[in-house]
Amino acid sequence: MSPLSGTERGSGGEDSHSGKPHTPGTRRGRMLADSAVVEEMPVWLEVNGEPAVTWMCTPDQLEELATGWLHGEGYIESLDDLVKLRPCAPDLGFWAEVNPERVAAVKGENRKRVLASGCGAVSTFLADPHQVARAPARGEPPAPERLRALFKELFARGERYNETGGIHAAALTDDERLLFHAEDIGRHNAVDKVVGAAVIARKPIAGRGLLVTGRISAELAYKAARAGLAYVATPSVPSTLAVTIARRTGIVLVGRAVSGTPHVHRPDT
């Protein structure tokens, strides 16, 4: 039996796309573009009875968001590690139950609380990038022209992006197609949503590629490392700490991925 219950799923299914098709320039598109706002709401999560995080996020695919965050923070590796994920009926929040040993392991990492480089004042916990365990390279990104084609599909799927222009997107890919896609006001949330969708669907994540529309920060590099991703690509650039983490953990980072000359940062050998 699935540990997930009681909430309506968003568009997190494989090769998914929520809502009706939308073409920029239509009457519906112009009307929504005139308002030019993006949904943002607080959503909280408790893990084994303790407050863990409150996201400022776009309020859909929330089960995927919670599951992906738990995965990215090391609380779970698969859906089997998530004993229960129960929504709060009165407001937007979740109670998660996981193996107490995994909670103890996360707390034992002694991560430092930092003000992260996310959208807004985001407080998070990070380990020392220079103490991250080394891992071999997991694979190479596709050729630049293929990567640009994947990003073209990512942008085309962006219903909220086409309506407002004020949203981030992320997608997992096998280099042939987009497997899972999500949009959110925060790029970290979008990444958690696509990873969570893959975990819920019990689809492989290790060795896949991740496309993101914002810069690749240290937080995203950590999430990619925990997920076992082969590469992360962005039209923007990675941070110096993200490059340090990626080089140690076997991840290729691709900056300026939609340009004619992508910047490729490969792992240490």
Side-chain angles (χ1 to χ4, degrees):
M1 182 178 294
S2 171
L4 306 173
S5 62
T7 61
E8 180 178 353
R9 291 195 185 275
S11 56
E14 186 167 3
D15 199 25
S16 62
H17 180 55
S18 64
K20 297 180 180 179
H22 164 59
T23 302
T26 63
R27 181 181 177 186
R28 174 172 175 261
R30 289 194 302 271
M31 289 175 66
L32 290 174
D34 287 343
S35 64
V37 295
V38 179
E39 291 176 282
E40 180 181 24
M41 295 184 69
V43 178
W44 53 264
L45 173 69
E46 289 188 3
V47 178
N48 289 13
E50 296 185 9
V53 66
T54 297
W55 301 281
M56 298 304 299
C57 63
T58 303
D60 63 5
Q61 295 178 259
L62 295 181
E63 286 184 359
E64 288 85 348
L65 173 61
T67 303
W69 185 88
L70 289 166
H71 185 279
E73 295 298 312
Y75 289 100
I76 65 172
E77 289 187 5
S78 72
L79 196 62
D80 296 327
D81 296 322
L82 183 53
V83 177
K84 184 181 294 183
L85 183 62
R86 185 164 56 94
C88 174
D91 53 41
L92 293 178
F94 291 90
W95 293 285
E97 292 183 25
V98 302
N99 188 320
E101 293 180 358
R102 297 198 67 92
V103 175
V106 171
K107 290 182 178 180
E109 292 181 3
N110 294 319
R111 306 179 198 174
K112 295 180 180 179
R113 182 179 290 276
V114 299
L115 192 62
S117 58
C119 301
V122 181
S123 179
T124 188
F125 290 90
L126 289 180
D128 183 349
H130 300 284
Q131 299 300 318
V132 176
R134 293 187 179 274
R138 301 183 176 95
E140 281 285 310
E145 59 272 16
R146 182 63 199 147
L147 201 52
R148 287 193 292 271
L150 290 169
F151 268 104
K152 184 176 181 180
E153 183 179 353
L154 176 68
F155 296 139
R157 287 199 189 188
E159 180 172 327
R160 284 187 174 88
Y161 178 82
N162 288 325
E163 291 169 352
T164 69
I167 201 85
H168 282 291
L172 285 176
T173 178
D174 60 3
D175 299 349
E176 294 298 323
R177 62 193 178 115
L178 303 187
L179 302 173
F180 297 94
H181 168 266
E183 292 181 289
D184 197 279
I185 194 168
R187 66 187 188 280
H188 306 92
N189 299 337
V191 170
D192 284 337
K193 286 178 178 180
V194 295
V195 171
V199 171
I200 291 170
R202 298 184 181 274
K203 297 295 183 180
I205 302 173
R208 301 298 196 196
L210 174 66
L211 310 182
V212 296
T213 54
R215 68 186 175 277
I216 304 171
S217 63
E219 307 96 283
L220 289 190
Y222 273 123
K223 291 177 185 293
R226 290 188 186 279
L229 294 170
Y231 69 89
V232 184
T234 178
S236 183
V237 296
S239 72
T240 54
L241 283 181
V243 171
T244 297
I245 295 164
R247 283 177 173 167
R248 294 180 66 94
T249 57
I251 302 170
V252 178
L253 300 185
V254 185
R256 306 297 190 201
V258 298
S259 72
T261 55
H263 301 170
V264 182
H265 305 267
R266 289 188 169 80
D268 295 336
T269 57

